[in-house]
Amino acid sequence: MPAVIAPPAPFPNLPQPCEGYQLAMPNSPAAAKIVRDFVGTLLRTGAHSALAEDARLCVSEVVANVYCHTSSQLVRVEVMVDRDQVAIHVTDDGPGPLPDPPERPDGEGGRGLLVVDGLATSWGSSTRQANARRTNTVWFVLTPPGRDTESGTAPATAAPDARPGTGARSGSGPTGSRSHR
């Protein structure tokens, strides 16, 4: 009987295939609704329909923050979907500081990042400086119930320079990142 050679088992730590979608638009009062509808439609037509409403709420809050708190002309949204999670990055060209959740959630306004913190498996922000251009990115990851990523680890689809942990600024100079959960 001839020997049967089976291919090796796949490595469990290699990243799973990921689909990416991008949308760029003017930073206007309508941007939050446009992005909310884009993300909702995208997730409802794919494997993560159960995450659609949480994703719509989180992305709407982050894009509204860009409109209210930056002078950026554009807002860019990137949605990465894989088998285990959905990661969304919202990027602006504003020169302002990275966001922090308010310390007193009972004040008027300022609850958007608290909503993201409550719904997302993890989230964070980063700033990048390239030549004269500075960008701020707020990212968050949603996972279906029962598939949460390990506590304290940044997902593979998080911002490349984001570090999980204490929420303290990392990096040096004018760039850095923060990560929560």
Side-chain angles (χ1 to χ4, degrees), residues 95-153:
L98 292 168
D100 276 323
E103 292 183 23
R104 292 182 39 96
D106 55 347
E108 187 173 323
R111 292 187 184 95
L113 291 176
L114 290 173
V115 169
V116 173
D117 188 57
L119 294 175
T121 305
S122 60
W123 72 279
S125 59
S126 63
T127 299
R128 295 181 192 215
Q129 183 81 39
N131 299 324
R133 182 174 174 216
R134 177 180 166 160
T135 61
N136 295 318
T137 299
V138 173
W139 59 267
F140 59 91
V141 176
L142 299 168
T143 55
R147 285 197 201 167
D148 291 350
T149 59
E150 289 181 29
S151 178
T153 61

Side-chain angles (χ1 to χ4, degrees), residues 7 9 11 16 20 22 32 46-47 52 58 60-61 68 96 106 114 121 144 146 174-175 177-178:
F11 294 101
Q16 297 296 317
Q22 297 178 357
C58 289
S60 170
E61 293 292 345
C68 292
D106 55 347
L114 290 173
T121 305
T175 62
S177 63
R178 299 177 188 173

Side-chain angles (χ1 to χ4, degrees), residues 46-135:
H48 291 298
S49 59
L51 298 176
E53 292 307 311
D54 287 351
R56 283 171 41 95
L57 181 56
C58 289
V59 78
S60 170
E61 293 292 345
V62 175
V63 171
N65 281 351
V66 171
Y67 178 72
C68 292
H69 302 293
T70 75
S71 59
S72 179
Q73 296 298 307
L74 282 176
V75 60
R76 291 178 299 285
V77 177
E78 184 175 10
V79 181
M80 291 163 286
V81 181
D82 69 22
R83 181 184 60 165
D84 296 324
Q85 63 189 17
V86 174
I88 299 178
H89 297 219
V90 177
T91 303
D92 67 71
D93 298 326
L98 292 168
D100 276 323
E103 292 183 23
R104 292 182 39 96
D106 55 347
E108 187 173 323
R111 292 187 184 95
L113 291 176
L114 290 173
V115 169
V116 173
D117 188 57
L119 294 175
T121 305
S122 60
W123 72 279
S125 59
S126 63
T127 299
R128 295 181 192 215
Q129 183 81 39
N131 299 324
R133 182 174 174 216
R134 177 180 166 160
T135 61

